[in-house]
PDB file of all heavy atoms in Angstrom:
ATOM      1  N   PHE A 202      22.321 -27.725   5.806  1.00  0.00           N
ATOM      2  CA  PHE A 202      23.266 -28.724   6.310  1.00  0.00           C
ATOM      3  C   PHE A 202      24.612 -28.140   6.739  1.00  0.00           C
ATOM      4  O   PHE A 202      25.676 -28.554   6.282  1.00  0.00           O
ATOM      5  CB  PHE A 202      23.464 -29.839   5.272  1.00  0.00           C
ATOM      6  CG  PHE A 202      22.174 -30.381   4.730  1.00  0.00           C
ATOM      7  CD1 PHE A 202      21.945 -30.474   3.366  1.00  0.00           C
ATOM      8  CD2 PHE A 202      21.163 -30.783   5.592  1.00  0.00           C
ATOM      9  CE1 PHE A 202      20.752 -30.952   2.860  1.00  0.00           C
ATOM     10  CE2 PHE A 202      19.959 -31.264   5.094  1.00  0.00           C
ATOM     11  CZ  PHE A 202      19.759 -31.349   3.725  1.00  0.00           C
ATOM     12  N   VAL A 203      24.534 -27.174   7.615  1.00  0.00           N
ATOM     13  CA  VAL A 203      25.716 -26.631   8.267  1.00  0.00           C
ATOM     14  C   VAL A 203      26.309 -27.709   9.166  1.00  0.00           C
ATOM     15  O   VAL A 203      25.602 -28.591   9.633  1.00  0.00           O
ATOM     16  CB  VAL A 203      25.298 -25.400   9.105  1.00  0.00           C
ATOM     17  CG1 VAL A 203      26.380 -24.985  10.074  1.00  0.00           C
ATOM     18  CG2 VAL A 203      24.914 -24.241   8.178  1.00  0.00           C
ATOM     19  N   GLY A 204      27.612 -27.641   9.394  1.00  0.00           N
ATOM     20  CA  GLY A 204      28.235 -28.472  10.417  1.00  0.00           C
ATOM     21  C   GLY A 204      28.668 -29.838   9.944  1.00  0.00           C
ATOM     22  O   GLY A 204      28.991 -30.030   8.777  1.00  0.00           O
ATOM     23  N   ALA A 205      28.644 -30.804  10.847  1.00  0.00           N
ATOM     24  CA  ALA A 205      29.262 -32.102  10.606  1.00  0.00           C
ATOM     25  C   ALA A 205      28.384 -33.002   9.745  1.00  0.00           C
ATOM     26  O   ALA A 205      27.164 -32.929   9.785  1.00  0.00           O
ATOM     27  CB  ALA A 205      29.560 -32.790  11.932  1.00  0.00           C
ATOM     28  N   ARG A 206      29.045 -33.869   8.975  1.00  0.00           N
ATOM     29  CA  ARG A 206      28.399 -34.931   8.204  1.00  0.00           C
ATOM     30  C   ARG A 206      27.203 -34.442   7.377  1.00  0.00           C
ATOM     31  O   ARG A 206      26.099 -34.997   7.453  1.00  0.00           O
ATOM     32  CB  ARG A 206      27.963 -36.053   9.158  1.00  0.00           C
ATOM     33  CG  ARG A 206      29.184 -36.733   9.801  1.00  0.00           C
ATOM     34  CD  ARG A 206      28.824 -37.577  11.016  1.00  0.00           C
ATOM     35  NE  ARG A 206      27.991 -38.722  10.723  1.00  0.00           N
ATOM     36  CZ  ARG A 206      28.436 -39.920  10.369  1.00  0.00           C
ATOM     37  NH1 ARG A 206      29.733 -40.132  10.222  1.00  0.00           N
ATOM     38  NH2 ARG A 206      27.600 -40.900  10.151  1.00  0.00           N
ATOM     39  N   PRO A 207      27.445 -33.444   6.531  1.00  0.00           N
ATOM     40  CA  PRO A 207      26.328 -32.903   5.747  1.00  0.00           C
ATOM     41  C   PRO A 207      25.725 -33.915   4.770  1.00  0.00           C
ATOM     42  O   PRO A 207      24.525 -33.854   4.506  1.00  0.00           O
ATOM     43  CB  PRO A 207      26.948 -31.712   5.008  1.00  0.00           C
ATOM     44  CG  PRO A 207      28.409 -31.878   5.128  1.00  0.00           C
ATOM     45  CD  PRO A 207      28.674 -32.655   6.371  1.00  0.00           C
ATOM     46  N   TYR A 208      26.526 -34.829   4.211  1.00  0.00           N
ATOM     47  CA  TYR A 208      25.929 -35.803   3.292  1.00  0.00           C
ATOM     48  C   TYR A 208      24.950 -36.706   4.039  1.00  0.00           C
ATOM     49  O   TYR A 208      23.917 -37.099   3.496  1.00  0.00           O
ATOM     50  CB  TYR A 208      26.997 -36.640   2.588  1.00  0.00           C
ATOM     51  CG  TYR A 208      27.827 -35.862   1.593  1.00  0.00           C
ATOM     52  CD1 TYR A 208      29.220 -35.925   1.619  1.00  0.00           C
ATOM     53  CD2 TYR A 208      27.232 -35.060   0.630  1.00  0.00           C
ATOM     54  CE1 TYR A 208      29.986 -35.212   0.709  1.00  0.00           C
ATOM     55  CE2 TYR A 208      27.991 -34.336  -0.279  1.00  0.00           C
ATOM     56  CZ  TYR A 208      29.371 -34.415  -0.233  1.00  0.00           C
ATOM     57  OH  TYR A 208      30.131 -33.702  -1.127  1.00  0.00           O
ATOM     58  N   HIS A 209      25.271 -37.026   5.280  1.00  0.00           N
ATOM     59  CA  HIS A 209      24.355 -37.835   6.071  1.00  0.00           C
ATOM     60  C   HIS A 209      23.071 -37.058   6.362  1.00  0.00           C
ATOM     61  O   HIS A 209      21.969 -37.612   6.307  1.00  0.00           O
ATOM     62  CB  HIS A 209      25.033 -38.280   7.380  1.00  0.00           C
ATOM     63  CG  HIS A 209      26.123 -39.284   7.173  1.00  0.00           C
ATOM     64  ND1 HIS A 209      27.341 -38.951   6.617  1.00  0.00           N
ATOM     65  CD2 HIS A 209      26.180 -40.619   7.422  1.00  0.00           C
ATOM     66  CE1 HIS A 209      28.098 -40.040   6.539  1.00  0.00           C
ATOM     67  NE2 HIS A 209      27.425 -41.065   7.014  1.00  0.00           N
ATOM     68  N   GLN A 210      23.229 -35.786   6.657  1.00  0.00           N
ATOM     69  CA  GLN A 210      22.044 -34.954   6.879  1.00  0.00           C
ATOM     70  C   GLN A 210      21.172 -34.910   5.618  1.00  0.00           C
ATOM     71  O   GLN A 210      19.947 -35.038   5.685  1.00  0.00           O
ATOM     72  CB  GLN A 210      22.456 -33.517   7.231  1.00  0.00           C
ATOM     73  CG  GLN A 210      23.203 -33.343   8.552  1.00  0.00           C
ATOM     74  CD  GLN A 210      23.505 -31.854   8.806  1.00  0.00           C
ATOM     75  OE1 GLN A 210      22.624 -30.998   8.716  1.00  0.00           O
ATOM     76  NE2 GLN A 210      24.760 -31.541   9.099  1.00  0.00           N
ATOM     77  N   ALA A 211      21.825 -34.740   4.478  1.00  0.00           N
ATOM     78  CA  ALA A 211      21.088 -34.634   3.207  1.00  0.00           C
ATOM     79  C   ALA A 211      20.378 -35.948   2.900  1.00  0.00           C
ATOM     80  O   ALA A 211      19.240 -35.964   2.433  1.00  0.00           O
ATOM     81  CB  ALA A 211      22.048 -34.260   2.073  1.00  0.00           C
ATOM     82  N   PHE A 212      21.058 -37.033   3.174  1.00  0.00           N
ATOM     83  CA  PHE A 212      20.477 -38.347   2.908  1.00  0.00           C
ATOM     84  C   PHE A 212      19.223 -38.559   3.745  1.00  0.00           C
ATOM     85  O   PHE A 212      18.190 -38.996   3.255  1.00  0.00           O
ATOM     86  CB  PHE A 212      21.521 -39.432   3.200  1.00  0.00           C
ATOM     87  CG  PHE A 212      21.046 -40.812   2.871  1.00  0.00           C
ATOM     88  CD1 PHE A 212      21.121 -41.286   1.572  1.00  0.00           C
ATOM     89  CD2 PHE A 212      20.521 -41.643   3.852  1.00  0.00           C
ATOM     90  CE1 PHE A 212      20.684 -42.566   1.255  1.00  0.00           C
ATOM     91  CE2 PHE A 212      20.077 -42.922   3.549  1.00  0.00           C
ATOM     92  CZ  PHE A 212      20.156 -43.383   2.244  1.00  0.00           C
ATOM     93  N   ARG A 213      19.330 -38.229   5.022  1.00  0.00           N
ATOM     94  CA  ARG A 213      18.175 -38.418   5.905  1.00  0.00           C
ATOM     95  C   ARG A 213      17.001 -37.550   5.480  1.00  0.00           C
ATOM     96  O   ARG A 213      15.849 -37.948   5.596  1.00  0.00           O
ATOM     97  CB  ARG A 213      18.550 -38.085   7.361  1.00  0.00           C
ATOM     98  CG  ARG A 213      19.013 -39.285   8.161  1.00  0.00           C
ATOM     99  CD  ARG A 213      19.008 -38.995   9.654  1.00  0.00           C
ATOM    100  NE  ARG A 213      19.763 -37.792   9.977  1.00  0.00           N
ATOM    101  CZ  ARG A 213      21.080 -37.759  10.117  1.00  0.00           C
ATOM    102  NH1 ARG A 213      21.816 -38.844   9.966  1.00  0.00           N
ATOM    103  NH2 ARG A 213      21.689 -36.635  10.410  1.00  0.00           N
ATOM    104  N   LYS A 214      17.305 -36.355   4.981  1.00  0.00           N
ATOM    105  CA  LYS A 214      16.246 -35.431   4.578  1.00  0.00           C
ATOM    106  C   LYS A 214      15.578 -35.878   3.286  1.00  0.00           C
ATOM    107  O   LYS A 214      14.452 -35.464   2.990  1.00  0.00           O
ATOM    108  CB  LYS A 214      16.845 -34.024   4.407  1.00  0.00           C
ATOM    109  CG  LYS A 214      15.860 -32.954   3.972  1.00  0.00           C
ATOM    110  CD  LYS A 214      14.797 -32.672   5.022  1.00  0.00           C
ATOM    111  CE  LYS A 214      13.684 -31.798   4.474  1.00  0.00           C
ATOM    112  NZ  LYS A 214      12.541 -31.706   5.380  1.00  0.00           N
TER     113      LYS A 214
END
Side-chain angles (χ1 to χ4, degrees):
Chain A
F202 311 128
V203 166
R206 295 164 65 88
Y208 291 130
H209 290 72
Q210 295 182 50
F212 184 83
R213 267 195 307 278
K214 179 66 191 170

